[in-house]
Amino acid sequence: MNTYTLLTEILGKDKVFADKNLFPYLTLRTSTVAEYFFEAHTKEDFVLAIQTAKKHRIPLTMIGGGSNIAATKSKIPGLVIKNNYAKLELLKEEKEYVEVLVSSGYTITLLVNKTIEKGWAGFEHHEGLPGTMGGAMYMNSKWTHPWSYVSDPLVSATLLDSRGELKTVNRDYFCFAYDYSILQKTHEVFIDGVFRLEKKNPAILKQQSHETMLYRRQTQPFGEATCGCFFRNISQEDQERLHLPTTSSGYLIDQIGMKNKGVGSFVISPVHANFIINTGKMEGNTADLLQLVKEIKEKVSQKFGIKLIEEVVIV
């Protein structure tokens, strides 16, 4: 039995597609084909698809909001799962707080809006953050004005482990750090989580959300095809050693004179140098993207002696 037949028998005949172009699902808008593609709309579908890939040793790639991914291959082998498992459920309510379940495919923007409407504080500083909760937990997504992680209110989570079995863990298990969670090491999958949110005045939360969005629009490219900040910021130790005013990787890229420079249709944003914009109308040659990334890293290394590390996942 070939892989396509196997997947259709397990996941559904009309639900698995061969040679699916992922262009509409990627915020960088590169044209990359998935060998096999499946959209999961429920927890059961999402878990089953992952378990199937693991059991039959089919290469697996997962997409949430399609941000924080730089797809550079013309074809991604194996199964690509688009995670649309979106659920927000009130589990517990007390005088000063609530506990809610948020699923991995729930978009951060919708989550911000829904919790603000209810007067539940915890996500208001993440207005405008692209992507879904699954990616946010994997990368430990953050906002810096004020400093806030999406994971801050997390109490516990359901994960799918490397054997394809579900387990429940508490927040400490994730070992959250800057741009890091233990999921990057264990390759476990965040399915859903329980978050404790304080009760606050919705008007105050809305104002904080508005201020966040205003700052984003002033400091980041909007309405452009990007995958977010491309490189991780440097360490505070490197900042102090080099007597730099900031840990921002965008500052380093600006200092090497590459702001607004590019290769082919891929250009470093004139607004924020840690964003790479795909100016091509349809796809852009991803070889140009890789060449631009290589040039950035080489020039930063030559000038500052620092090796930039990608924040985005390159597939």
Side-chain angles (χ1 to χ4, degrees), residues 7-30:
L7 290 172
T8 56
E9 286 195 359
I10 296 173
L11 301 178
K13 277 189 175 182
D14 300 324
K15 295 182 178 180
V16 180
F17 300 90
D19 296 329
K20 177 79 169 180
N21 196 317
L22 300 178
F23 170 81
Y25 306 99
L26 302 172
T27 60
L28 190 57
R29 295 293 185 259
T30 53

Side-chain angles (χ1 to χ4, degrees), residues 5-62:
T5 302
L6 172 72
L7 290 172
T8 56
E9 286 195 359
I10 296 173
L11 301 178
K13 277 189 175 182
D14 300 324
K15 295 182 178 180
V16 180
F17 300 90
D19 296 329
K20 177 79 169 180
N21 196 317
L22 300 178
F23 170 81
Y25 306 99
L26 302 172
T27 60
L28 190 57
R29 295 293 185 259
T30 53
S31 183
T32 300
V33 172
E35 185 175 11
Y36 308 110
F37 178 83
F38 174 76
E39 243 177 298
H41 293 279
T42 66
K43 179 176 182 176
E44 292 72 23
D45 278 351
F46 187 44
V47 170
L48 178 61
I50 299 169
Q51 289 173 331
T52 300
K54 288 181 178 293
K55 180 179 179 180
H56 296 281
R57 298 185 179 182
I58 301 169
L60 176 63
T61 302
M62 283 171 282

Side-chain angles (χ1 to χ4, degrees), residues 228-243:
C229 287
F230 208 94
F231 299 99
R232 299 184 182 190
N233 286 340
I234 64 173
S235 68
Q236 190 172 349
E237 290 78 10
D238 280 336
Q239 177 196 359
E240 293 172 355
R241 177 176 60 85
L242 294 167
H243 307 290

Side-chain angles (χ1 to χ4, degrees), residues 108 123 126 129 133 136-137 141-142 148-153 195:
I108 301 299
F123 298 120
H126 302 288
L129 179 68
M133 184 57 78
M137 292 297 103
S141 297
K142 63 193 178 298
S148 172
Y149 289 96
V150 176
S151 64
D152 285 345
F195 297 81

